[in-house]
Amino acid sequence: MAVVGCLGDIVFQVSDEKMETIDKAKWSGSARYATHQRHNTNALTEFTGIDPDRFEFEITLTHELGVDVMSELVKLWDYERKGEALRLVLGDKGYGKYRWNITEHSTVFENYDKWGNLYSAVMAIKLQEYLR
């Protein structure tokens, strides 16, 4: 089994029995500036700080690849609704200065089995950096 990384206790891994990895990962950040208007001259800008970093990615969850789709979705929903601060590790690198909160999610339900149970889904997750 190859462990690709983790978000909290959700392990991104690839093996003969299970495949749960992230896709389309994007890490971004920004700085804050104030603009002071001045009469008859150029405006003056002032650096006022750094916004929390953001991290976005998609997870494809498929029963056929060994994932209990609904239980993984519920874990992620619970993390978001409880405001839990989660560590994010990809490869051997921890991302961010401390932890991350899930601020937004979007789930596309793709396939169902013959009983109407969710068989596969793609979840897009947006994180915001959480500092101590």
Side-chain angles (χ1 to χ4, degrees), residues 8-21:
D9 70 350
I10 295 176
V11 179
F12 308 128
Q13 59 186 313
V14 178
S15 71
D16 292 344
E17 299 170 7
K18 185 174 184 180
M19 184 171 130
E20 184 173 356
T21 62

Side-chain angles (χ1 to χ4, degrees), residues 3-60:
V3 174
V4 179
C6 66
L7 176 65
D9 70 350
I10 295 176
V11 179
F12 308 128
Q13 59 186 313
V14 178
S15 71
D16 292 344
E17 299 170 7
K18 185 174 184 180
M19 184 171 130
E20 184 173 356
T21 62
I22 69 169
D23 191 24
K24 299 178 185 164
K26 182 172 107 175
W27 188 6
S28 61
S30 60
R32 289 188 312 272
Y33 287 85
T35 303
H36 305 284
Q37 302 298 324
R38 299 186 302 172
H39 184 69
N40 287 337
T41 188
N42 295 333
L44 184 65
T45 58
E46 176 185 7
F47 174 75
T48 60
I50 298 171
D51 290 324
D53 280 359
R54 291 168 301 285
F55 203 97
E56 303 175 26
F57 58 90
E58 290 182 357
I59 302 177
T60 301

Side-chain angles (χ1 to χ4, degrees), residues 1 5 15-16 24 34 37 41 68 74 79 90 93 95-97 99-101 106 110 114 118 123 125-126:
M1 171 176 52
S15 71
D16 292 344
K24 299 178 185 164
Q37 302 298 324
T41 188
D68 183 345
V74 168
Y79 284 151
L90 297 174
K93 176 166 178 31
Y95 284 77
K97 292 182 185 82
R99 305 238 169 148
W100 299 85
N101 293 112
S106 173
E110 292 197 325
K114 64 183 177 182
L118 186 60
M123 186 177 217
I125 298 173
K126 293 185 180 184

Side-chain angles (χ1 to χ4, degrees), residues 117-129:
N117 299 312
L118 186 60
Y119 194 77
S120 66
V122 176
M123 186 177 217
I125 298 173
K126 293 185 180 184
L127 305 175
Q128 179 174 286
E129 191 172 27

Side-chain angles (χ1 to χ4, degrees), residues 74-119:
V74 168
K75 273 187 204 176
L76 290 161
W77 290 330
D78 286 345
Y79 284 151
E80 179 181 345
R81 286 165 174 76
K82 292 177 182 176
E84 287 194 42
L86 309 167
R87 65 191 170 105
L88 175 64
V89 177
L90 297 174
D92 60 355
K93 176 166 178 31
Y95 284 77
K97 292 182 185 82
Y98 179 58
R99 305 238 169 148
W100 299 85
N101 293 112
I102 298 174
T103 59
E104 188 177 332
H105 76 276
S106 173
T107 308
V108 177
F109 293 2
E110 292 197 325
N111 302 88
Y112 301 86
D113 65 15
K114 64 183 177 182
W115 299 282
N117 299 312
L118 186 60
Y119 194 77

